[in-house]
Amino acid sequence: MSSGPGAASAPAPDPHDSPPTSDTRPRKSSMFSSLKVRNYRLFFMGQVVSNIGTWMQRIAQDWLVLSLTGSSAAVGITTALQFLPMLLFGLYGGVLVDRLRKRPTLLVTQSAMALTALALAVAVLTGHVQVWHVYVAAFAVGLATVVDNPARQSFVSELVGPRQLQNAVSLNSANFQSARLVGPAVAGILITGVGTGYAFLFNGLSFIAPLTGLLLMRARELHVVERAPRGKGQLREGVRYVTGRPELIWPIVLVGFVGTFAFNFPVYLSAFADDVFHAGAGAYSMFNTLMAVGSVAGALLAARRGTARLRLLIAAALVFGALEIVAATTPTLWMFALLMVPLGLFGMTVNVTTNTSIQMSTDPAMRGRVMALYMMVFLGGSPVGAPIVGWITDTYGARVGLAAGGAVAAVAAAVIGLILARVGNLRLSVGWHRGHPRVRFVPREHQEELAPAA
């Protein structure tokens, strides 16, 4: 990350198609170009190991709570507690991240999460675990995430600089979702074979890899960024910065709706595996693995893509919501499982497109606060949404819960797409192109020129 203005710190005339400036244009030639940077390569390799442990713990945590309580609502409460700190303190975490050096900050937060996982492993392996222990551990991880998440998000720019940012963000997502291919599968074997405790133990030990990578990085090769000084009003300054820019505020609002109601897969998938198809932990693990296949594909396509356009975000959110509604109506386990692949692909497209477009449109000095607000809305919505969708799932069934989440995502995408079109002075154009129908947004002036003269 370089000092100075971001790629598009002022509002773009066309929020849907505004290209990046010439000195920050993403490179499309190589899908893995950012891995040529040594510091980023160390970061990436450490995250490979840690992310596998993270996914193992996610699966084990959800299944442990379901085993202890028999309630989808309890799974929702666990998810809510993990993301509640982000909702309550996320903006303050962003202020801290803009003031602090990112690498030492990450050493502290990653160590805290490792100790939490190890403590939960001891409770499970000694046979003394109770559901409130899981609640406390989830909340503790959430507290660390308040600082860890915006620090990791903004640290990527310091590792690779603005030219490689699109590629690096996409590869980070591919990394996380590739671990989803391994983590749930290993977790399923451990849960059915020796119990959930060893999944928590592996996750705690897996943090050795990213901590080692952070220690081995060369500080002189980081892209220096001027840190924000201590001062009053920095929280309000960050909020004003975002609300004054349509290309920032409306994508954040959209992912807020999607994250709150449509991304509660721990609730949905555990209920489908246990209550709808009566297939147990193996099916739950399979659902997560297949969704990861689609997510990896979506992330790699984003790494190859040259731009992060908001019209792609709107389209992906619409399709994602529609796919959830379709999945809710599937009669068989295998049809439901196969739909996890496109759900993962379009869900990841929403995630990466939003993340990249926001980072590329933000002044580096504000990036910690902006990313904290983004993550607060995206992840912090779970404390609100998870208990609600858990209650709907328990009361009306998993199918109704999933369909309702998909409907919220689709409606939000349609409404915000129209708002962005109006802000960008765009109009809907329906016509033919090379013998095929084409629907797109075009500038109002351009459409008026195409209209026949009176």
Side-chain angles (χ1 to χ4, degrees):
M1 179 169 21
S2 61
S3 58
S9 56
D14 178 0
H16 285 261
D17 286 321
S18 178
T21 54
S22 58
D23 61 332
T24 60
R25 193 181 306 277
R27 296 179 178 178
K28 196 176 178 179
S29 58
S30 173
M31 187 176 290
F32 305 101
S33 57
S34 55
L35 288 175
K36 297 175 183 177
V37 180
R38 179 183 181 274
N39 282 344
Y40 179 73
R41 192 162 59 247
L42 287 169
F43 179 82
F44 184 90
M45 292 168 62
Q47 291 299 309
V48 168
V49 179
S50 182
N51 285 338
I52 291 174
T54 297
W55 277 112
M56 290 177 64
Q57 174 150 328
R58 285 192 177 189
I59 301 299
Q61 176 179 278
D62 297 339
W63 203 255
L64 176 62
V65 171
L66 196 63
S67 301
L68 291 172
T69 66
S71 169
S72 294
V75 178
I77 291 171
T78 307
T79 304
L81 286 170
Q82 186 160 333
F83 297 120
L84 181 61
M86 181 65 73
L87 180 63
L88 297 177
F89 311 117
L91 287 176
Y92 295 98
V95 172
L96 285 175
V97 167
D98 279 336
R99 293 175 181 174
L100 300 173
R101 289 186 298 158
K102 307 300 186 297
R103 187 163 62 142
T105 300
L106 288 172
L107 285 169
V108 172
T109 57
Q110 297 276 294
S111 298
M113 288 190 282
L115 292 174
T116 303
L118 291 173
L120 190 56
V122 170
V124 177
L125 291 173
T126 57
H128 294 97
V129 68
Q130 299 179 39
V131 69
W132 70 266
H133 294 149
V134 187
Y135 289 164
V136 170
F139 189 75
V141 170
L143 285 174
T145 303
V146 166
V147 176
D148 183 80
N149 214 310
R152 277 190 296 107
Q153 299 284 342
S154 53
F155 189 49
V156 173
S157 294
E158 294 190 19
L159 292 171
V160 300
R163 285 184 176 270
Q164 297 282 9
L165 182 59
Q166 160 95 11
N167 183 264
V169 169
S170 301
L171 288 182
N172 276 355
S173 298
N175 184 335
F176 187 68
Q177 297 303 326
S178 297
R180 193 174 181 178
L181 293 171
V182 180
V186 177
I189 294 172
L190 288 177
I191 291 170
T192 56
V194 294
T196 57
Y198 287 97
F200 298 126
L201 178 62
F202 182 93
N203 183 45
L205 296 176
S206 72
F207 282 95
I208 295 173
L211 290 171
T212 302
L214 288 167
L215 292 171
L216 291 175
M217 288 179 185
R218 296 170 182 164
R220 66 181 181 276
E221 295 179 6
L222 295 174
H223 293 255
V224 179
V225 175
E226 183 179 352
R227 285 177 281 153
R230 294 179 62 89
K232 295 182 178 180
Q234 291 179 324
L235 187 62
R236 292 191 298 273
E237 181 186 9
V239 174
R240 284 197 301 268
Y241 181 86
V242 172
T243 56
R245 289 163 170 77
E247 73 276 17
L248 295 178
I249 184 61
W250 289 114
I252 289 175
V253 170
L254 175 57
V255 299
F257 279 104
V258 174
T260 300
F261 297 103
F263 262 85
N264 278 289
F265 289 111
V267 177
Y268 295 138
L269 299 187
S270 61
F272 266 86
D274 195 46
D275 300 331
V276 177
F277 299 119
H278 308 288
Y284 181 49
S285 177
M286 179 182 67
F287 294 157
N288 279 277
T289 301
L290 289 172
M291 184 173 287
V293 172
S295 298
V296 171
L300 292 177
L301 287 173
R304 184 67 175 170
R305 196 177 297 122
T307 56
R309 297 180 175 181
L310 295 186
R311 67 181 182 185
L312 175 63
L313 169 62
I314 299 300
L318 275 169
V319 175
F320 177 74
L323 282 170
E324 283 201 339
I325 296 172
V326 173
T329 65
T330 53
T332 67
L333 184 148
W334 291 109
M335 290 178 64
F336 182 84
L338 289 175
L339 280 172
M340 294 300 101
V341 177
L343 265 174
L345 190 152
F346 284 99
M348 183 51 55
T349 302
V350 171
N351 192 346
V352 173
T353 304
T354 307
N355 190 316
T356 307
S357 65
I358 288 174
Q359 290 211 50
M360 295 296 292
S361 300
T362 301
D363 189 301
M366 301 292 295
R367 194 163 281 152
R369 279 164 281 182
V370 173
M371 294 310 296
L373 179 60
Y374 160 64
M375 298 309 300
M376 184 188 76
V377 172
F378 184 54
L379 299 179
S382 291
V384 178
I388 294 174
V389 301
W391 176 80
I392 293 173
T393 299
D394 279 343
T395 305
Y396 300 102
R399 295 187 185 278
V400 174
L402 182 59
V408 169
V411 171
V415 171
I416 292 173
L418 293 174
I419 292 173
L420 284 171
R422 185 175 181 84
V423 169
N425 197 31
L426 302 174
R427 295 179 64 182
L428 187 67
S429 172
V430 181
W432 290 84
H433 179 71
R434 296 180 179 177
H436 299 284
R438 180 166 67 172
V439 180
R440 59 175 180 156
F441 286 105
V442 299
R444 291 178 184 273
E445 296 80 3
H446 180 62
Q447 192 172 50
E448 290 167 1
E449 290 173 4
L450 294 178

